[in-house]
Amino acid sequence: MRFGSKTGRTAKNKLMERALILSGGGSRGAFQAGVWKYLQEIEWIPDLISGTSIGAVNAAAIVSGMPAERLIHLWTTHARDEIYRFQLLKFIAAILFKRPLRPMLDTNRMRGVLTRKIDLAALRHSRTEIIITTVNMLTGRLHLYNNREISIDHLVASSAMPIIFPWQCINGEPYWDGGVMANTPLFTALKRGVKEVIVVLLSPVGHAALPFPGTLLDGLELVFEHFLSGSYQTTLSAINPNHGGNGQNVTVLEAGGDHGVSEVRGPRIRVVAPSRMLGFRSLLNFSTRQARQLVDEGYRNAREQLQSLVNQDIA
């Protein structure tokens, strides 16, 4: 696994105080734009932003200097037909007649939006480090890329949901969504020794009490939500004694409580997440209506769930 590039501007030579971790979750990513708006309002500026899939796209937008209002405008003015188009006949034909593998959707339009909106030159010179994830389809290995390496190809690869979106070739090798292995790349911040981490999940699993699934569809949805939050929960279990691990002294601060913040020596982790199930359809629903709703929800949930952060700064 690669971790950054050989450059003098790596985090190894830079004190890391704060990190923002952005999970993958398709068009639910509008939720993260609302969270970023709130973080800007309270002047919480990260030294590192690490993202997977749509989290990688949002991370790139932020690190390239895009303020919250422009990010929100991007989310609320680009509808589905400007992001992807269906190619169901080719997809079904590939299944029925055993033709070469084809993705369900064509995302060339999304590539065009990213090319126009993401300032890669600004990203390369940003004081904020960015790390995004992809997975090599053939080896199954997770690959990480930072400011010096990231291109539109890397962003397209990181957000290429398997089978649904087309994979992306990088240096002759096929890559797709980093969420397959690390949908919430919290480990990137812990490896850097960051003191304060905010994780933005795009699923309520692990953060809110959910009802028992009443139907088969409900059960399948819950399984998928577990997948979205799985890497975050696994990382916590591996490092935190309170979650069954034996690694770092990590404290996860729940919404609204300080939990003895002043006495914590290890990294402090705060989580912002949806407080409800969003449903399968929300993953590919790039409608402006859903985007506005999720932006508002992300802002509101950040304000409520990060209250301990504000209390700490006041104290």
Side-chain angles (χ1 to χ4, degrees), residues 27 30 66 70-84 109-118 284-292:
S27 52
M66 187 178 294
R70 279 182 54 200
L71 181 60
I72 291 171
H73 182 264
L74 178 64
W75 271 102
T76 56
T77 57
H78 288 78
R80 178 188 66 79
D81 59 357
E82 297 178 83
I83 304 299
Y84 64 81
R109 297 177 182 180
M110 181 182 74
R111 172 183 285 276
V113 171
L114 295 179
T115 301
R116 293 191 302 272
K117 300 298 183 180
I118 304 296
L284 293 175
N285 180 8
F286 285 90
S287 69
T288 55
R289 178 180 179 182
Q290 173 174 283
R292 292 192 186 99

Side-chain angles (χ1 to χ4, degrees), residues 154-213:
H154 294 93
L155 294 177
V156 171
S158 182
S159 56
M161 288 187 279
I163 307 302
I164 298 176
F165 284 3
W167 53 90
Q168 175 67 48
C169 283
I170 300 174
N171 297 326
E173 293 283 326
Y175 289 82
W176 59 18
D177 202 317
V180 173
M181 297 294 178
N183 196 53
T184 308
L186 172 60
F187 70 93
T188 58
L190 300 178
K191 187 176 179 69
R192 293 293 197 237
V194 178
K195 295 181 179 180
E196 188 169 67
V197 184
I198 291 178
V199 178
V200 185
L201 302 176
L202 295 179
S203 169
V205 167
H207 193 67
L210 301 174
F212 187 86

Side-chain angles (χ1 to χ4, degrees), residues 5-39:
S5 59
K6 296 180 180 178
T7 172
R9 233 190 100 283
T10 64
K12 292 181 180 179
N13 301 318
K14 176 183 175 184
L15 180 63
M16 286 279 167
E17 294 286 343
R18 294 172 169 176
L20 177 63
I21 309 299
L22 302 178
S23 293
S27 52
R28 296 180 184 181
F31 181 90
Q32 294 171 346
V35 175
W36 179 237
K37 177 182 178 182
Y38 179 74
L39 293 179

